[in-house]
């Protein structure tokens, strides 16, 4: 798509129609902030988009976008200024690539790398990293912090008597109850 000052779309190609669902006749002459950007994301855009007009560099953004069918996708945008040959005006050409699947896959990998599959709590490696940071911060600022170690007595017998399914269900329930009891800044 091509747009000018005030985010007014001047060109909209077939690929944009395939990606977002709107035809060129529906969007040309309109500000893309009015339909392409989710309401809760609009505050993030103004400074970054205005900076595109300040130089001839490639500006890359990743953000949520609305489709005509009201669904939300995540796009990687490549933007660069086009200087008019006839007058002093400028426009921006923007290329959008739908990276929703890649973004979701990255979030899943991050969750798997840092959290226990069963309980969704931080795994040992992630916990050790958090603990080291908290310890360093506390030492540097002469603060104290608390660390509680909990042992589930008799847990092995639950697995032995009732099976691993019951043991897994118990661990999930315990993790949920702990999560309900802590502050947002605490870690289990």
């Amino acid at each position: 798509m091509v747009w000018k000052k005030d985010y007014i779309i001047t060109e909209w190609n077939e690929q944009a129609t395939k990606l977002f669902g709107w035809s060129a006749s529906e969007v040309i002459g309109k500000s893309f902030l009015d339909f392409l950007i989710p309401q809760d994301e609009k505050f993030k855009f103004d400074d970054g988009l205005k900076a595109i007009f300040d130089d001839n560099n490639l500006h890359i953004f990743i953000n949520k976008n609305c489709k005509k069918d009201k669904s939300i996708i995540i796009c990687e945008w490549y933007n660069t200024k086009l200087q008019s040959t006839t007058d002093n005006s400028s426009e921006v050409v923007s290329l959008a690539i739908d990276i929703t699947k890649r973004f979701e896959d990255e979030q899943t990998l991050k969750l798997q790398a840092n959290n226990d599959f069963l309980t969704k709590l931080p795994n040992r490696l992630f916990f050790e990293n958090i603990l080291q940071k908290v310890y360093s911060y506390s030492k540097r600022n002469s603060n104290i912090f608390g660390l509680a170690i909990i042992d589930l007595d008799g847990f092995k017998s639950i697995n032995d008597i009732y099976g691993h399914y019951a043991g897994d269900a118990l661990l999930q329930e315990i993790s949920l109850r702990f999560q309900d009891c802590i502050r947002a800044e605490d870690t289990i």
Side-chain angles (χ1 to χ4, degrees):
M1 86 174 171
V2 179
W3 52 278
K4 61 183 181 180
K5 186 178 176 225
D6 298 325
Y7 318 116
I8 304 299
I9 296 174
T10 59
E11 293 182 40
W12 185 266
N13 65 15
E14 191 61 35
Q15 196 59 37
T17 297
K18 287 179 186 175
L19 183 58
F20 298 110
W22 289 282
S23 68
S25 62
E26 293 175 291
V27 300
I28 290 180
K30 296 180 180 168
S31 169
F32 64 78
L33 288 182
D34 293 339
F35 63 91
L36 204 54
I37 309 300
Q39 190 67 34
D40 62 336
E41 295 268 316
K42 288 183 182 179
F43 71 93
K44 298 178 185 178
F45 286 91
D46 214 29
D47 292 338
L49 292 174
K50 286 180 180 175
I52 297 170
F53 287 101
D54 294 339
D55 57 46
N56 292 318
N57 295 328
L58 178 65
H59 296 261
I60 302 171
F61 305 106
I62 295 177
N63 60 276
K64 293 178 186 175
N65 293 106
C66 301
K67 293 178 65 169
K68 186 176 181 178
D69 67 7
K70 306 282 190 238
S71 64
I72 301 289
I73 60 174
I74 298 171
C75 291
E76 187 168 51
W77 287 88
Y78 295 84
N79 309 275
T80 191
K81 180 174 74 170
L82 297 173
Q83 193 65 43
S84 173
T85 55
T86 57
D87 60 17
N88 246 0
S89 67
S90 296
E91 291 184 315
V92 174
V93 62
S94 296
L95 167 72
I97 300 171
D98 182 356
I99 62 163
T100 306
K101 177 80 169 101
R102 182 181 90 193
F103 182 82
E104 290 169 350
D105 289 347
E106 287 172 358
Q107 294 302 105
T108 300
L109 284 173
K110 185 188 271 186
L111 182 69
Q112 290 172 346
N114 294 321
N115 297 80
D116 176 71
F117 177 76
L118 182 65
T119 63
K120 307 298 186 253
L121 296 175
N123 63 22
R124 183 182 314 251
L125 183 63
F126 190 54
F127 176 75
E128 288 172 355
N129 187 17
I130 292 170
L131 184 59
Q132 182 60 46
K133 287 179 182 177
V134 169
Y135 175 75
S136 296
Y137 177 82
S138 295
K139 189 174 179 181
R140 189 172 49 249
N141 295 296
S142 299
N143 291 338
I144 60 170
F145 70 95
L147 175 64
I149 298 174
I150 299 170
D151 183 26
L152 299 177
D153 289 335
F155 181 74
K156 183 181 177 328
S157 62
I158 291 172
N159 273 340
D160 292 344
I161 295 169
Y162 300 104
H164 289 282
Y165 179 78
D168 290 352
L170 178 61
L171 285 176
Q172 288 171 324
E173 182 62 30
I174 290 169
S175 74
L176 288 173
R177 289 185 185 201
F178 278 134
Q179 290 174 52
D180 286 343
C181 297
I182 64 169
R183 302 172 301 180
E185 65 269 19
D186 294 334
T187 301
I188 298 176

